[in-house]
Structures are given as structure tokens and as C-alpha cells.
Amino acid sequence: MADSIFSKSTESIIDHDEGKKEHTEPPMSTIHHAAVALEHTGFSIGDQNGIKLFQLFPLNYRMYKNYVPKVGSVRIVKHMGLSNRLVYVSAPDGKFPQNTAIVFDIEGNKDWREVTTPSRYGAITNVHVSQNRLVVFTGTRMFVFKFPDNIEQIRAEDIGPNPNGISAMSYDPTTTSCYIAYPGFKTGSVQIMNLNTLTARESKSPVVIEAHLTEITQIALNCQGTLIATGSTKGTVVRVFDARTKGLLYELRRGTVPAHLQCLAFSPCSCYLAVASDKGTLHLFGIRDAEPQKKMNVLERNRGSSSILKIQLDRKVLALGFSKPTETPKSFMGLVAICSDASYWRYHFTKDSNGKYMHLPPVYEKLIDFAEEASFFRVNVE
């Protein structure tokens, strides 16, 4: 993508004036979908007016002035890091049928290709994109395509009933390994498939992990595809497994009261796992800090490790991401939450002198207002 699509950020790590506005306005649902790119470089949102792209940190709007794709109402949107391609699915009141995914050319500001699944499998429930694969889910079927230049179906696989499109993709740019995880046929199980081993003629059997006794509601993979985190309808614990051996590594306790898990996300370094629930909280778990759990007996492990940070955020979280450590005298990583009211929250965190985790006041932005203001001051490049 041309450098001119990006703007310079004037945001500062120590400017927390916006964070003081938190919890002063009632949440209002204004966007249908949000997704953080696999590389945690940017995120996309979709609403009744179409799609918008942002850089994750520093927060920048990735569009020209008057460069707003006229794609109609959107219910799913995914993109590849800082590339020129994204994939979206129209909302029921949008431009395209519900079984059609559109590959959009950002730089050309136009729909580039259509990917349509057989109507007998129903509406598309989720899509995932990496540097070499496009995966499209319906309620009972998974379709895998080569991507992004020569889009060609590799294979289609039957899956267990998955009306909500619960799934996660990993992509490691250093090895180009690409994995997909989704609920298995047995209640509480998950399947992990190596997408690079799929061919038109055959596919290797997926790795199957029996993770919970109740239905899976959230899945996350780390970027190498070596760790998988799962949550169930109970929502009190999140389990982390070794995706290669299927062994349980950690049981992380979100709380004792049942909750609906809204999001799970590993940090790019695989050191942290973030969890959002409908209890209005963000939990951050230190995977490295949980290392002693491997040495615990089963009873001790089942008590679960507590989070290293618990953040109150009384909004529906649609996506979670991590920003790289800041270049300050004291290095702070950032946890980013994108909420259904089109708000952006970033919490910089680190350890204090006593080894206890703490976070700075949040950086807060209204994404729709932020995009409109950025567009107003942006000048088209001829």
C-alpha cells in the first residue's frame, strides 16, 4: 500500500486527557463488526455505512479524504495487516447476498473479486484472511481458498454445527505456517487444521482437543499456531493447550460467576492472553507468569491462575489487540479494545518496582468522529 494512505500521528503516550472521559456516556451500538489483523498492526470496523480501516498504534485512520468505499451495510470485515486487500460480507440490508464474500481493493477503492458459497449451506458466518489463505465459514461447512492474488478454492470440509462462525486463524510470517481452529463435532471439542497441508485431493486429519464439557464460545490461536485458548458457555475459566501435543498447559480463572466470553486474544509474543466478558471486565493473563502451573498437580491446576490485570470496561467488546512496547524510559505494552459503540480503548501496562502489574489511565477515542476528522484534514494524492 502506498505510504500516502497513512497519516502522521500526533498522539502521545503521556496524553491521557481523553481517558478521563471514560464511563461518562451511555454505550450505544453503532458498529456491526470489528477485527484486529493477525499481525496486530491494524483493525477494521463494519457498520451500516460500510467499512473503515485504522492503524492499531499509533491510532491512524487509513483512508484518503473522500476515500470512503461505497459498499453498503457490512456485517463482517477482515483484512491482511497493512496490505491492499480486505474481505467483507454485506449485512442483510446490504448490496450482496449473504453467501457472498467480497474481496475489496483498498488502493483502487473498488470491489475486486466475489467468492460465493453454495446457497444450500446458508449464510456466511465468518471469514479469515492471511498472506496465503482465505477461509470462509457457513453454519456446517468450511471453504479454503488460495489468497490473495490467484483466488482458487483448495478444499471444502464439513464441520460441526457452528451457526456463530466461532473460529480463529494463526499466521506466522517467518515460516508462512497457517492454521485454523474451530469447534469440533463433539460438544466442547475444538479442531485445528494446518491449512498449508490441504490439497484439492485430500487433507490430513485435524488435531482434536477435548477442551470443555459444554459448548465452545470463544477460540484464540497464537501467531505460530502452537497455543490454543478456549472458553465455553460457562465462561468461568479459559484453558490453554499445546496445539501439537493436545496437552493442557494452563487453566486461567476469569471468575466464579458464569459469563459470556466476548473475545480472546494472544499477544504477538504469546506472553499474554486477554479475555473480555459481558461482566464488563477485561482480564489480562500472563502466560509466562503461569509457567509454574506446568509443575502443579491436577487439583492445584484446576483452581486456576488469576489474571495479572483486571480492567473495568462496561461496554461490549468486539475485538482485542496488542500494541508493541513503547519507546519510553519505561517500556509499556498496550492492550486495545474495540467496542460495539465504536469506541477505542488502549491500556498501557507494565510491572512496577515491586513486580506487580499496573496500567496507565486509558487512551480513549470515538472512532467514527476520529475518522471524520482525519478525512477532513486529509488531502488526496493525485
Side-chain angles (χ1 to χ4, degrees):
M1 180 176 292
D3 292 339
S4 54
I5 293 183
F6 299 93
S7 65
K8 299 292 185 181
S9 172
T10 58
E11 184 181 28
S12 169
I13 179 81
I14 60 174
D15 181 9
H16 303 296
D17 290 341
E18 288 292 340
K20 297 176 182 178
K21 300 178 184 177
E22 63 180 294
H23 306 129
T24 60
E25 301 172 13
M28 185 177 73
S29 180
T30 58
I31 60 177
H32 302 151
H33 191 259
V36 174
L38 298 178
E39 305 88 345
H40 291 250
T41 51
F43 64 95
S44 53
I45 63 174
D47 61 13
Q48 66 274 14
N49 297 316
I51 52 181
K52 291 179 175 62
L53 291 181
F54 299 84
Q55 185 174 286
L56 190 70
F57 175 70
L59 180 62
N60 284 324
Y61 181 51
R62 291 180 54 194
M63 298 289 179
Y64 292 113
K65 181 180 179 182
N66 300 323
Y67 191 86
V68 181
K70 296 180 180 179
V71 300
S73 185
V74 168
R75 66 179 175 89
I76 300 173
V77 57
K78 296 286 179 71
H79 72 296
M80 294 166 37
L82 302 177
S83 77
N84 287 331
R85 300 280 163 77
L86 63 80
V87 180
Y88 73 88
V89 179
S90 292
D93 59 342
K95 294 174 60 177
F96 295 97
Q98 296 300 284
N99 64 327
T100 298
I102 305 297
V103 181
F104 188 83
D105 181 347
I106 302 169
E107 197 166 26
N109 195 22
K110 63 182 179 180
D111 294 330
W112 184 64
R113 286 284 300 274
E114 294 184 15
V115 176
T116 300
T117 58
S119 58
R120 64 181 178 275
Y121 294 115
I124 292 173
T125 57
N126 208 347
V127 299
H128 296 277
V129 290
S130 72
Q131 300 293 338
N132 61 352
R133 292 292 183 264
L134 165 65
V135 180
V136 178
F137 281 91
T138 67
T140 58
R141 194 84 164 162
M142 178 180 72
F143 302 84
V144 181
F145 300 85
K146 292 181 180 178
F147 193 77
D149 296 320
N150 182 25
I151 299 178
E152 176 184 339
Q153 182 173 315
I154 300 173
R155 194 166 181 82
E157 298 276 348
D158 287 329
I159 61 173
N162 188 13
N164 296 318
I166 298 164
S167 50
M169 177 182 271
S170 73
Y171 179 78
D172 185 355
T174 61
T175 63
T176 69
S177 62
C178 191
Y179 293 87
I180 194 78
Y182 49 94
F185 289 91
K186 182 179 178 181
T187 299
S189 68
V190 293
Q191 297 187 177
I192 307 169
M193 184 173 288
N194 184 343
L195 295 177
N196 290 341
T197 63
L198 283 175
T199 67
R201 292 185 176 182
E202 64 178 357
S203 64
K204 293 184 179 179
S205 298
V207 172
V208 179
I209 297 174
E210 295 187 9
H212 299 269
L213 297 177
T214 54
E215 290 184 5
I216 299 294
T217 56
Q218 287 294 334
I219 299 174
L221 284 169
N222 69 338
C223 65
Q224 295 86 10
T226 56
L227 297 177
I228 180 169
T230 63
S232 72
T233 52
K234 193 173 181 181
T236 54
V237 297
V238 172
R239 295 188 173 117
V240 179
F241 297 85
D242 186 315
R244 298 158 296 186
T245 66
K246 304 191 289 186
L248 175 63
L249 299 178
Y250 319 118
E251 186 162 279
L252 310 173
R253 182 157 295 280
R254 185 213 57 81
T256 57
V257 178
H260 172 67
L261 301 180
Q262 297 168 339
C263 291
L264 296 179
F266 282 101
S267 63
C269 61
S270 302
C271 297
Y272 303 99
L273 179 72
V275 181
S277 76
D278 64 353
K279 295 302 179 183
T281 53
L282 289 177
H283 288 264
L284 182 68
F285 295 92
I287 302 300
R288 279 183 178 172
D289 290 350
E291 195 69 21
Q293 257 208 356
K294 291 183 178 180
K295 302 176 183 178
M296 294 179 180
N297 61 40
V298 174
L299 290 176
E300 289 174 326
R301 183 184 293 147
N302 285 343
R303 296 193 188 108
S305 293
S306 299
S307 56
I308 57 176
L309 277 180
K310 180 179 178 182
I311 300 168
Q312 196 69 26
L313 184 61
D314 297 312
R315 298 162 192 245
K316 182 179 180 180
V317 178
L318 298 182
L320 292 169
F322 288 84
S323 63
K324 294 180 180 180
T326 57
E327 295 180 1
T328 61
K330 191 163 188 175
S331 180
F332 287 84
M333 280 196 67
L335 171 61
V336 175
I338 313 301
C339 300
S340 61
D341 61 347
S343 61
Y344 167 101
W345 300 80
R346 189 173 70 251
Y347 299 85
H348 288 283
F349 63 91
T350 190
K351 286 184 179 180
D352 61 19
S353 58
N354 297 318
K356 184 178 180 181
Y357 278 87
M358 47 82 70
H359 68 83
L360 299 178
V363 175
Y364 163 76
E365 289 286 355
K366 294 181 179 179
L367 290 173
I368 304 301
D369 293 346
F370 186 92
E372 290 178 353
E373 183 177 348
S375 294
F376 179 80
F377 288 105
R378 192 73 52 82
V379 178
N380 275 330
V381 176
E382 299 297 335

